[in-house]
Amino acid sequence: MIEEITKAEENTTPKITYPALFYMGLKELIQTKSVALFELRKLENDLNDAERKLSHKESKLILTTDFKELGLTNEKMRKSYIYDELYDDKCDIAVMKGDVEEKRDTIEIINHLIRLSEIKLQGAL
């Protein structure tokens, strides 16, 4: 009976699948880290460009919008209008920030795996 329960539990327990990084050798990890670092720099540069463009767009919007003509008579209404106009750009920037953080996390995992490989080579594990 106990054997049957154990087999049933084995069949329902999901198998853990690890990302490909966990199966790479030291050389592959270093190469992957190099590529990831280049990708990170590109993502960071794209993010900085997008933030600059957003700032410029916001300034231009503030300077060129006739708030009185739109009936936006107080500061709160004006800020709401500007927020609404820039919403999509701000969402895009939030996604870009997430991409940068994800790439940093990947590099951190690679660093740990490289260190683990070094320890194995030294015979400590």
Side-chain angles (χ1 to χ4, degrees):
M1 180 73 170
I2 293 175
E3 249 179 68
E4 290 175 16
I5 293 172
T6 304
K7 286 183 180 183
E9 288 175 349
E10 285 177 7
N11 292 335
T12 60
T13 305
K15 301 280 186 204
I16 297 174
T17 55
Y18 294 100
L21 291 173
F22 287 81
Y23 303 104
M24 292 181 178
L26 184 57
K27 184 177 179 181
E28 292 171 305
L29 285 170
I30 293 169
Q31 290 170 338
T32 302
K33 181 180 176 181
S34 177
V35 170
L37 285 169
F38 282 114
E39 291 171 347
L40 176 62
R41 295 301 167 242
K42 170 117 176 59
L43 289 171
E44 288 174 336
N45 288 336
D46 292 346
L47 175 60
N48 287 333
D49 289 343
E51 287 176 332
R52 277 192 294 277
K53 286 178 184 176
L54 176 65
S55 180
H56 180 6
K57 190 173 180 179
E58 182 176 7
S59 297
K60 189 173 182 178
L61 189 61
I62 290 169
L63 292 172
T64 60
T65 303
D66 187 356
F67 292 109
K68 288 183 183 178
E69 183 180 305
L70 295 172
L72 306 173
T73 56
N74 64 43
E75 190 67 24
K76 189 174 184 180
M77 293 171 75
R78 293 174 184 157
K79 283 184 178 182
S80 178
Y81 174 81
I82 291 169
Y83 177 84
D84 187 52
E85 289 293 311
L86 301 175
Y87 181 77
D88 290 340
D89 294 326
K90 289 184 179 191
C91 287
D92 291 343
I93 287 174
V95 169
M96 293 172 87
K97 286 180 179 181
D99 292 343
V100 167
E101 287 305 311
E102 182 180 337
K103 190 58 68 175
R104 285 184 181 148
D105 291 345
T106 299
I107 291 169
E108 184 177 348
I109 290 169
I110 292 170
N111 286 337
H112 290 303
L113 292 171
I114 288 171
R115 182 68 184 131
L116 181 61
S117 293
E118 290 172 344
I119 290 170
K120 286 180 180 178
L121 286 174
Q122 292 171 358
L125 286 180

